[in-house]
């Protein structure tokens, strides 16, 4: 089992969710986050004063999947979240040692 963590632009969330649903992904955890990478933030003008926005709004998706579903999910996220501009985000794939469904006590892939 693997845990996919994807950090994407907020306006791409609906498209990514739809693409993941199409390939059969049933569960996603979404968190609003802020951060920066190579973008290094940007400057904005507010009431005539310029200020620096260091952390940009992003959305973090966490998806637990069986090993054989990971490639399809990564491809769906990559193709949907890609705008071709800096700050499109990143995808991290990590091993997932154990999953337990609290309600039923199911473990492993049955709990996903």
């Amino acid at each position: 089992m693997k845990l996919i963590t994807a950090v994407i632009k907020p306006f791409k969330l609906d498209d990514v969710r739809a693409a993941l649903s199409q390939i059969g992904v049933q569960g996603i955890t979404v968190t609003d986050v802020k951060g920066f990478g190579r973008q290094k933030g940007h400057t904005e003008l507010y009431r005539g004063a310029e200020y620096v926005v260091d952390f940009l709004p992003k959305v973090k998706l966490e998806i637990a999947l069986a090993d054989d579903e990971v490639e399809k999910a990564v491809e769906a996220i990559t193709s949907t979240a890609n705008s071709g501009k800096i700050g499109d985000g990143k995808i991290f794939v990590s091993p997932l040692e154990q999953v337990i469904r609290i309600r039923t006590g199911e473990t492993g892939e049955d709990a996903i």
Side-chain angles (χ1 to χ4, degrees), residues 65 67 89:
L65 294 171
D67 289 334

Side-chain angles (χ1 to χ4, degrees), residues 7-12 36-42 56-58 81-90:
V7 180
I8 62 172
K9 291 182 175 182
F11 68 90
K12 291 288 192 174
F36 73 92
R38 290 185 183 157
Q39 274 179 292
K40 305 268 196 289
H42 63 278
L56 300 171
K58 302 286 183 182
N82 183 5
S83 70
K85 297 183 178 153
I86 193 166
D88 277 347
K90 292 222 174 20

Side-chain angles (χ1 to χ4, degrees), residues 56-73:
L56 300 171
K58 302 286 183 182
V59 175
K60 180 169 81 170
L61 308 173
E62 293 175 302
I63 310 153
L65 294 171
D67 289 334
D68 60 339
E69 298 172 328
V70 171
E71 268 319 303
K72 290 188 295 186

Side-chain angles (χ1 to χ4, degrees), residues 96-109:
L96 196 55
E97 290 186 27
Q98 182 66 282
V99 177
I100 302 161
R101 185 183 311 266
I102 294 172
R103 179 178 54 88
T104 62
E106 293 172 296
T107 61
E109 288 188 16

